[in-house]
Amino acid sequence: MHNLMRTAIIGGGAAGFFLAINLKEMMPEMEVTIFERSHRVLAKVEVSGGGRCNCTNSFVEVRDLQTIYPRGYRLMKRLFNVFDYQDAYAWFERHGVPLVTQDDQCVFPAAQDSHAIINCFLSLAHRYQIRISTGRRVQSIEDLQGYDFIAVTTGGSPKGEGLRWLSDMGHEIVRPVPSLFTFNIADKALTALMGTVVEKSTVMIPGTKFRAKGPLLVTHWGMSGPAILRLSSYAARQLAEHEYRMPLCVNWTDEDDTAVQTILYQMAIQHAQKQLSTFNPFGLPQRLWGYLLEKSMADRTQLRWRELNRKDMNRLVNILCCDTYKIEGRATFKEEFVTCGGVSLQSVHSSTLESKSVPNLFFAGEVLDIDGVTGGFNFQAAWTTAYVVASSIVAKTSE
């Protein structure tokens, strides 16, 4: 073993800093340098979660990792045996960042400020004498002569150009496409309801297996909210292939059509004299209920419940359970841009994340073909893969 061993980390984001810090804690004598092409480090951490940084999730409501990691769930299951969400939670608290878990199981710094994590990372980097070189673009490992180990933590590459040098070294690259975005829908009657939130909805792309549940937000450009973001993640490749123009079906009640029909018939019996427009059996926002009534019944919305005929009932059930729209483009989710794709998981050893083509070259974070839905899962993938790489480098020094 060398008297002094050196590791270069390409990318000064979440995965890069977490890897560097853990590597120094595991092996203090290792010399570690982070290279960041821009002049600011941890920029994505700063803006994530509206500036609060949704750093992980409790995973309490997760039954199947495939529902939160559309790409890479098998690998994440394996790597969680080394470092999982509970380990991440304990790590931050141990390093002076108290965390809180919201009702939706998203985990944030108790300070509700991403700088709690940024300051933690920068303080530890200073303490451990981790070198940080900004404004330094690395395009070849030939630029890093003299380093024993190299870790690539450059994040997503939306246009794929930043991955070409890795492809030239023999790594298979899965074409990157956007993930986690909202839908543009050119329906003025719908977008007039901007700001309307439905807490429980199901959205799906007809003719496919892609569907997602959760809150839905009507915006001035179309639809957003956790349900839409999840659907965009699940169907990221198919939406890209269709140039973000596909049909969308919305179930506003999160109930099946049989249950909805039963509720409507009960209303017709129990509240026969009440007007449809003023009595809403599903707890939907009143403006949305009025919009759906008008969409299904046109100028007959002032009918009383007892006046509904079978055809009226069927139309109303259909609108509530499968209201159809046309997706006409995507909108990025502010600065929280995520891509699916990157270095194929077939190009790395699954236990160590070391390249199969280039010895002592490792990958962590979103540069790999791993991506999660919204809710802190992408940051968790960064912490997990970075920790595994740090452990793998330490293990290699003793070979």
Side-chain angles (χ1 to χ4, degrees), residues 185 190 193 196-204 214-218 222-224 228 248-255 260 282-285 288-289 291-292 295 316-325:
I185 296 173
L190 173 72
L193 301 174
T196 298
V197 176
V198 176
E199 292 298 335
K200 292 184 178 181
S201 72
T202 301
V203 291
M204 62 201 86
L216 184 152
L217 169 66
V218 179
M223 293 184 190
S224 183
I228 294 296
L248 174 70
C249 174
V250 180
N251 183 327
W252 297 103
T253 69
D254 196 30
E255 300 275 2
V260 169
F282 298 99
L284 297 173
L288 175 63
W289 175 246
Y291 161 78
L292 295 174
K295 193 171 181 180
L316 191 50
V317 169
N318 190 55
I319 285 292
L320 288 166
C321 295
C322 191
D323 190 12
T324 55
Y325 298 90

Side-chain angles (χ1 to χ4, degrees), residues 258-273 279 281-282 305-306 308 313:
T258 301
V260 169
Q261 190 171 58
T262 299
I263 291 170
L264 292 179
Y265 276 117
Q266 289 174 345
M267 289 294 296
I269 296 170
Q270 297 172 8
H271 304 279
Q273 297 301 321
F279 201 79
F282 298 99
W305 279 97
R306 65 177 174 79
L308 286 183
M313 285 285 192

Side-chain angles (χ1 to χ4, degrees), residues 265-307:
Y265 276 117
Q266 289 174 345
M267 289 294 296
I269 296 170
Q270 297 172 8
H271 304 279
Q273 297 301 321
K274 293 183 178 177
Q275 286 188 336
L276 294 175
S277 58
T278 60
F279 201 79
N280 171 1
F282 298 99
L284 297 173
Q286 192 58 35
R287 285 197 304 158
L288 175 63
W289 175 246
Y291 161 78
L292 295 174
L293 282 178
E294 188 170 338
K295 193 171 181 180
S296 64
M297 305 182 66
D299 58 354
R300 302 175 66 243
T301 60
Q302 296 307 310
L303 289 178
R304 300 183 186 281
W305 279 97
R306 65 177 174 79
E307 296 173 324

Side-chain angles (χ1 to χ4, degrees), residues 64-73 174-183 203-205 208-213 223-241 244 246 248 327 329-333 336-341 366 368-379 381:
D64 180 354
L65 287 185
Q66 189 172 7
T67 64
I68 56 169
Y69 292 112
R71 271 81 38 185
Y73 69 94
V174 180
R175 183 174 70 91
V177 299
S179 179
L180 285 188
F181 49 85
T182 61
F183 295 162
V203 291
M204 62 201 86
I205 296 177
T208 75
K209 63 181 180 181
F210 301 115
R211 59 193 294 127
K213 293 175 177 286
M223 293 184 190
S224 183
I228 294 296
L229 292 170
R230 285 192 172 215
L231 185 64
S232 76
S233 179
Y234 297 156
R237 294 209 170 278
Q238 288 70 18
L239 285 162
E241 289 169 5
Y244 305 101
M246 294 187 78
L248 174 70
I327 301 168
R330 63 178 176 84
T332 56
F333 185 40
E336 296 182 64
F337 191 75
V338 175
T339 59
C340 72
E366 202 184 332
L368 289 164
D369 186 22
I370 301 172
D371 65 287
V373 300
T374 186
F377 302 111
N378 286 295
F379 273 130

